Amino acid sequence: MLTRDEVFSQFVSYFPQADRALFDRACAVSENAHRHQKTPDGRDYLQHSLEVASILARLKVDQTTILVGILHDLLDTPDASPAEIEKLFGAEVLQLIKTGHKISNIPYRQKNRQQVESFRKMFVAMARDLRVVLVYLADRLSDMRAIQHCSQTRKEAYSRETLEVYAPLANRLGISWLKAELEDLSLRVLEPEKFAALTRRITTHKEERGGYINKVGEQIRKLLADNQLTGDVTGRFKHFYSVYRKMERTGVDLDEIYDLIAFRVLVDSVRECYEVLGLIHATWKPISSRFKDYIAMPKPNRYQSLHTTVIGPFGERMEVQIRTHQMHNIAEEGVAAHWKYKEGGPVPVVGRDDQRFSWLRQVMEWQQEVSDHAAEESAVIDLFPEEVYVFTPQGEVKELPRGASPVDFAYAIHTDVGSHCVGARINGKLSPLKTELKNGDIVEVMTAANQTPRKDWLAFVKTSKARNKIRQWVKAEQREKSIHIGRELLEKSLRKRQTSLKRSLTSGLLEQAATELGYRTTDDLFAAVGYGKTSPGQVVSHVVPRDETPAVAERDGSEGESKASRRSTQSAILIGGIDNVMVRFAHCCNPLPGEPVTGFITRGRGLTVHTIDCFQVQTSDPERRIDVQWDMQRKTVRPVKVRVICDDQKGMLVGISGAISHADANIVSATVHARGDKKGTNLFVIDVENLEHLNRVIREIKKVKGVTRVERLRN
Ligand code: MN
């Protein structure tokens, strides 16, 4: 219950010349006029009038506005007399009440954004005098505080209107507390469940959070005192609607909203604001993207303050606002405060001097809603252009180079986390592992036990730790593969000598062979065979001396063929950057250097290289595939079959051979068939260096007169 005395003392506190008799007269008139009435939601009218006056007093409005606040509903009463109002309180008061009354009869129907905007403009245009708007806002706040007593339909319509028209209006006028309270009261009606959830969340840990506010507040105060600064430090919960909006905007769940609390430091001068900012940043790590300098760049509604978010003493994101007392008053009282400081006392917030009130009209440019956001964007100052600061879900800060990815972040936490990461949640949203992290991102890495580092991560990681660890792993993995290949090759060779790998191992002969060949372990030996550094034959000759066991008599043709093939090409393939790998080239696709290839481990035959699109590979077990590349540094030749169809006439073979030589290629063999249709089919095996060389050869052959078709045969 508010009393007249309370409200008047509020008024007189900033306006010593306040007229108590006039104030009491207004209260009496209001009480009398409404004596048989209750407000639509069942409140006592005088209480409502006093509450409106009290809200206006908080805005430090002039006396006229206070009187209008008390009398604002008077024209709704049956026996209201405009003449009497004018006689008792003056023409100005009557005019303001009339305007307000007229506006309150405009039906508001929520439609689209454009219409909401238009409504706001119309509202202000009709009000003309800003004081009407202030009374309106105060009236609305008083009604919203009692909204729970209304019917559901009225509650919702009223709340929506408040959220769409009055809260933005309060924001325009720079009255932050009024805006916040209107928003929260509306939210409570429009989203009761979400509001309740937010309330629960704050009240559940209220004591803990209260303790937190006290502790951190004390630390900030000590920080100021240690540096000979004096300032008012307060901590508070941010208003619900802003938290709700953030949740809606980012799609992040409630649990992930860290900054429910904000601290405020009020000092005497702008210089001190920046000093305090420096101290805060020196003590706690700032999230640079959250730093906003509204002192250098005030908001369109004249709001000035420094905003920063730091990682607080308990690893929590902590927002700190730093401003002067004067700036704070402007933030609290908005336009009214501005004039008070200009004039040195409460003055009409709108007068008739166009020059003096020009900035106010700017404030009234409602359509600036959008450009408002743009201004906020440009106020962001990047303090650390080289680095990016991101956070663990626990609020631990990780400093990473610009462009770093969740993989870098994962390795920064722990090698195991990096090696097993499969995905990332950035600010609560699933994101690809190669996503570029931004300042202030909260990153959560998902791991899986069976995940291993991937070579393609090397394409986007930025930290040397991640790069080294991935490379290390890839190398170790290649060694594993080489050991596997080596064992396969040796097994095959040993079987030809009537023994086996297992037997050679148990007999200790293989270990002995390893030592003799200069390897520490048998695994090293297998790896060397897999790499192609040592041939299986060499090893076999150590294990099974040739004179002791007769070699198997029959040798399959492919062995002889592949020997030749190996001699010329064993250095042409790289496995994971390791050169000198001994391989065999698949007959099915006969790959040439320059063609995309893949390796395939054939049981008993070691590693075979196929073209990547070879049908054999496509249909084979992917487990047995290995990434291989051509070693383009090494010059090698590979035989390739080319079929040439041409006119069956004399000198064709000479011409074609000449063309092949002209393209710097050697003919290994040539067969010529005459066909019945006066056409000849010539089959050449040509040694070429690579795909590009082959294409050159084919082009040369095609130039030969009488040649109709040239094609490469895969086998
Ligand atoms: Mn009212």
Side-chain angles (χ1 to χ4, degrees), residues 39-40 43 45 48-49 52 69 72-73 76 135 138-140 142-143 158:
T39 62
R43 286 171 297 157
Y45 255 109
H48 171 58
S49 299
V52 170
H72 74 275
D73 280 327
D76 286 333
V135 172
D139 185 30
R140 176 59 57 130
S142 172
D143 288 349
Y158 220 65

